[in-house]
Amino acid sequence: MKVAGHTFLAKLGKKKLRPGGVKGTNFLFKNAEITKDSLVLEVACNMATSAIKIAKKYKCKMVICDLDENVLKIAEANVKKAKLEDKIKIVKADAKNLPFDNEMFDVVINEAMLTMLSDVNKQKAVSEYFRVLKKGGRLATHDVLLFSEDIETQKNIKAELSRAINVHASPFTNNGWRNLFLENGFSKVINNFGKMSLMNPIGMIRDEGFFNTIRIIRRGLKRENKQQFKTMFNVFKKHKNNLGYFVAVSVKE
Ligand SMILES: C[S@@+](CC[C@H](N)C(=O)[O-])C[C@H]1O[C@@H](n2cnc3c(N)ncnc32)[C@H](O)[C@@H]1O
């Protein structure tokens, strides 16, 4: 059975499941103003790769959530292995309806998830992030970026991408993403963008290391994985000039 692209890549051993990899995430770390006193919420934590890095780097407390119970079990094991149970609390939650009080968090992080939601649900999730952030708080997001402004080209890319990764995918352009945050109450958006690194060999080596990349590609080319691996690889390659990553830190003033 064909699974979602991120589930498939995780099964092959890939740990960074976001379009701009560590390069994009480092931009967020630089601009999110996390300190050891921050309370940080990560939405769509998956296996807690980013959360563990953040809790170690800043020594801050975190609440992390995801909709998928299976990945939360892996997150729990990873947090335990990193001995960070006193710093990281794991909760099952939907980004569109967060079970947290108003103005609770200093920083909300959400990587590689909004792209997968419909446009209406993107609005719901971002308004939830605004609600749970304290005044002066920062939202750090990392998503797929469309370079082309041509509507037909955008439609084709969205359809091919959704088929290849087996989940709904509707990335925005630079202005589309910026407007999403500004329309939901954020007063300032600090953003950056670049080329996709998710399945690009150089990006993969940067994100996963040389030997892990070889291991991931070898597993991807095994008979049972080959079709999905090649489909995803070919779609990302075909649209490499029209697909990128968009990172933003949006401020609630
Ligand atoms: C592509 S993975 C990204 C994981 C991680 N943030 C990273 O960058 O490596 C997308 C994650 O979003 C989660 N997700 C999808 N819809 C969600 C929602 N409505 N609320 C919370 N999590 C959601 C999925 O379960 C999955 O773990």
Side-chain angles (χ1 to χ4, degrees):
M1 195 187 68
K2 206 172 157 194
V3 293
H6 59 269
T7 308
F8 176 70
L9 291 178
K11 190 183 91 179
L12 300 183
K14 196 161 179 358
K15 299 257 186 299
K16 321 290 186 315
L17 304 172
R18 41 213 119 109
V22 287
K23 212 171 166 187
T25 303
N26 285 343
F27 175 88
L28 301 182
F29 289 172
K30 211 171 121 197
N31 291 285
E33 298 194 343
I34 305 171
T35 71
K36 72 171 187 17
D37 300 319
S38 305
L39 180 59
V40 178
L41 170 67
E42 187 187 9
V43 180
C45 64
N46 200 275
M47 56 183 115
T49 309
S50 283
I52 289 170
K53 199 165 172 196
I54 294 167
K56 278 189 179 163
K57 187 174 161 87
Y58 300 100
K59 321 260 178 268
C60 59
K61 293 230 172 190
M62 298 190 71
V63 177
I64 66 174
C65 66
D66 201 287
L67 201 53
D68 181 343
E69 275 173 17
N70 294 325
V71 301
L72 288 178
K73 282 185 198 141
I74 303 172
E76 206 175 326
N78 288 342
V79 167
K80 197 169 171 197
K81 199 167 149 203
K83 297 190 172 36
L84 287 168
E85 298 109 305
D86 59 328
K87 292 274 186 210
I88 303 178
K89 186 177 170 209
I90 303 173
V91 177
K92 183 183 175 212
D94 184 341
K96 305 188 293 299
N97 186 18
L98 294 172
F100 308 117
D101 290 341
N102 294 350
E103 305 198 354
M104 220 181 124
F105 297 98
D106 299 284
V107 176
V108 174
I109 297 191
N110 183 211
E111 295 184 280
M113 187 211 80
L114 289 170
T115 306
M116 295 175 1
L117 303 189
S118 67
D119 294 356
V120 171
N121 286 340
K122 283 184 182 73
Q123 299 279 351
K124 282 190 188 158
V126 174
S127 70
E128 278 293 83
Y129 305 160
F130 188 83
R131 180 182 68 75
V132 300
L133 270 172
K134 291 178 188 166
K135 287 203 178 70
R138 292 184 169 222
L139 168 66
T141 54
H142 184 161
D143 288 284
V144 178
L145 175 70
L146 274 178
F147 286 112
S148 175
E149 298 282 347
D150 179 70
I151 302 294
E152 268 313 299
T153 309
Q154 291 185 355
K155 253 197 207 160
N156 285 339
I157 295 175
K158 286 179 192 177
E160 282 191 31
L161 189 60
S162 300
R163 267 198 304 274
I165 66 174
N166 209 27
V167 281
H168 172 83
S170 62
F172 280 169
T173 58
N174 203 308
N175 278 339
W177 285 120
R178 282 184 60 83
N179 289 339
L180 175 68
F181 306 120
L182 294 169
E183 281 162 10
N184 279 284
F186 291 95
S187 46
K188 191 165 94 183
V189 180
I190 308 154
N191 65 274
N192 204 352
F193 62 88
K195 295 253 173 206
M196 280 275 252
S197 66
L198 193 68
M199 287 193 83
N200 157 298
I202 293 169
M204 270 176 81
I205 291 171
R206 190 174 58 224
D207 287 348
E208 311 291 342
F210 181 76
F211 293 108
N212 277 339
T213 298
I214 301 287
R215 232 170 272 142
I216 292 164
I217 293 173
R218 259 205 207 130
R219 285 185 196 135
L221 293 175
K222 279 191 172 169
R223 200 157 52 96
E224 64 274 24
N225 298 324
K226 200 169 173 175
Q227 197 189 348
Q228 190 165 2
F229 188 76
K230 281 182 90 173
T231 305
M232 285 177 66
F233 183 84
N234 288 338
V235 167
F236 285 121
K237 191 169 167 213
K238 178 175 171 191
H239 297 296
K240 71 177 168 40
N241 293 327
N242 266 323
L243 282 175
Y245 73 88
F246 177 86
V247 274
V249 171
S250 305
V251 185
K252 173 175 175 177
E253 275 174 351

